[in-house]
Amino acid sequence: MKLPVQEIKKIGIFRALQLGDLLCTIPAIRALRRAYPHAEIILLGLPWAKGFTKRFDHYFDRFFHFPGYPGLPEQDFDVKIFPAFIDRMQAEQFDLLLQMQGSGSVVNPMMELFGARHVAGFKTDGHYAPDNGLFLDYPNYGSEIDRHIALMEHLGIANLGNELEFPLSEADLVELGQLNLLIEPQRYVCIHPGSRGSWRQWPVNYFAALADFCIDQSYHAVITGTNDETDITNAVISQMKNTAIDTTGKTSLGAVGALIRDAALLISNCTGVSHLAAAFKTPSVVISMDGEPHRWGPLDTYRHRTIDWLKAPDFHVVYRETVDLIQQVA
């Protein structure tokens, strides 16, 4: 490895993004943990990710809330607390700080403020990055999972595979059971119509049509979503001719994970839950609305069907993939 084990006792990982973004880094972080088994690994991320680090406590030891930065759209920049955050980061005295946010065009200069002994990550032409041999030219191709594995390999860390993970706890299973949904494993389909951003929203009448089809094939249709997605899930349900099971706002992330694990199929236009399906090897139909199916779609293209809606905006394409997967799991 480029950085010897005995020199690296504390590692900071900067990735202030959402669920799917973090799940895609887990194979790389798995390799990092194996390479530095005794190091303390700390995630610097958005507030919601504190629970993520607890779920993945075999990889992460601590969490810090990142207060935003100009040019990063995921949260507002809190200029009042940012200086204190930088002071705290400098006090941590990281041996290694990993920039796993993206190409580095915005955040690489900020990384230097943390005062880490070594800084590594992605860089891109025309933008600042330390000339220390630890930065990889951002691979603007392939899957998000493999991009981060490539960063580990650049640091001399062995690849342990690109399989995703999502640990479930007994509390997750108990919570799901308390909903009394009256469903059996493999006899229901999860329909997740919500997505972060209206521009990534597949038409609700199409979700309704696929949910009705699944019910006609003797499956229950379980509608999943957060409280913020109630309008979308209600719109789907209102356009169905059959009766769905609505779990909108009733489940934590862990309970949704348990639902997806035991489902026959997931239908979604949200990459976050599609990565849960990939982790559990639950078949899925993913409608890609962002034009990057090669980056965010599941790697197993036999079990998971990703449709690039920007190139093929044809409901019948999605319907045929759904029929094919339903026939496989029947």
Side-chain angles (χ1 to χ4, degrees), residues 189-196 201-202 207 222-226 229 232-233 236 247 251 256 260 265-274 276 285 287:
V189 172
C190 286
I191 311 289
H192 191 93
S195 184
R196 189 172 295 275
Q201 179 62 53
W202 200 48
F207 276 115
V222 179
I223 310 297
T224 62
T226 65
E229 295 166 332
I232 296 171
T233 57
V236 172
T247 66
T251 54
V256 169
I260 292 173
L265 178 68
L266 167 72
I267 302 172
S268 172
N269 61 186
C270 172
T271 57
V273 294
S274 75
L276 294 182
V285 175
I287 302 94

Side-chain angles (χ1 to χ4, degrees), residues 107-161:
V107 299
N108 280 350
M110 182 191 69
M111 296 287 98
E112 296 281 62
L113 301 178
F114 291 20
R117 183 180 177 189
H118 301 285
V119 183
F122 295 110
K123 61 177 178 156
T124 188
D125 287 345
H127 297 275
Y128 173 79
D131 185 17
N132 60 6
L134 300 179
F135 276 74
L136 173 68
D137 287 328
Y138 185 69
N140 200 17
Y141 54 85
S143 79
E144 186 73 2
I145 298 167
D146 290 337
R147 295 181 194 199
H148 290 277
I149 291 174
L151 176 59
M152 296 300 111
E153 292 178 330
H154 177 71
L155 299 175
I157 295 172
N159 180 356
L160 297 183

Side-chain angles (χ1 to χ4, degrees), residues 31-267:
L32 180 71
R33 171 55 78 193
R34 174 70 67 85
Y36 297 100
H38 304 298
E40 184 179 23
I41 298 180
I42 304 168
L43 178 66
L44 318 177
L46 301 180
W48 78 269
K50 184 175 183 179
F52 185 89
T53 59
K54 291 181 178 179
R55 184 172 299 277
F56 286 90
D57 59 3
H58 51 303
Y59 296 144
F60 298 102
D61 298 289
R62 283 193 288 148
F63 169 81
F64 282 118
H65 167 212
F66 170 68
Y69 190 71
L72 298 183
E74 286 74 26
Q75 64 178 343
D76 293 334
F77 175 50
D78 193 334
V79 67
K80 293 181 180 179
I81 68 173
F82 189 75
F85 172 76
I86 292 298
D87 288 344
R88 181 64 186 272
M89 293 300 96
Q90 292 177 356
E92 286 293 323
Q93 297 183 330
F94 291 109
D95 295 304
L96 172 62
L97 179 64
L98 286 168
Q99 187 279 100
M100 299 176 71
Q101 181 80 2
S103 68
S105 60
V106 174
V107 299
N108 280 350
M110 182 191 69
M111 296 287 98
E112 296 281 62
L113 301 178
F114 291 20
R117 183 180 177 189
H118 301 285
V119 183
F122 295 110
K123 61 177 178 156
T124 188
D125 287 345
H127 297 275
Y128 173 79
D131 185 17
N132 60 6
L134 300 179
F135 276 74
L136 173 68
D137 287 328
Y138 185 69
N140 200 17
Y141 54 85
S143 79
E144 186 73 2
I145 298 167
D146 290 337
R147 295 181 194 199
H148 290 277
I149 291 174
L151 176 59
M152 296 300 111
E153 292 178 330
H154 177 71
L155 299 175
I157 295 172
N159 180 356
L160 297 183
N162 56 19
E163 296 81 11
L164 297 184
E165 304 174 28
F166 191 79
L168 292 174
S169 67
E170 184 62 29
D172 296 328
L173 304 180
V174 169
E175 178 192 338
L176 180 59
Q178 289 174 341
L179 294 178
N180 296 317
L181 298 181
L182 301 179
I183 53 176
E184 298 179 7
Q186 307 304 312
R187 297 310 309 164
Y188 64 90
V189 172
C190 286
I191 311 289
H192 191 93
S195 184
R196 189 172 295 275
S198 59
W199 57 278
R200 297 170 63 181
Q201 179 62 53
W202 200 48
V204 293
N205 58 306
Y206 291 164
F207 276 115
L210 292 183
D212 277 328
F213 165 75
C214 293
I215 293 173
D216 289 343
Q217 305 306 305
S218 300
Y219 291 88
H220 289 290
V222 179
I223 310 297
T224 62
T226 65
N227 277 322
D228 293 339
E229 295 166 332
T230 300
D231 289 346
I232 296 171
T233 57
N234 283 345
V236 172
I237 292 169
S238 70
Q239 297 196 41
M240 292 178 59
K241 62 182 178 64
N242 294 309
T243 301
I245 298 172
D246 184 13
T247 66
T248 307
K250 299 176 182 178
T251 54
S252 66
L253 176 59
V256 169
L259 260 177
I260 292 173
R261 184 194 67 175
D262 292 339
L265 178 68
L266 167 72
I267 302 172

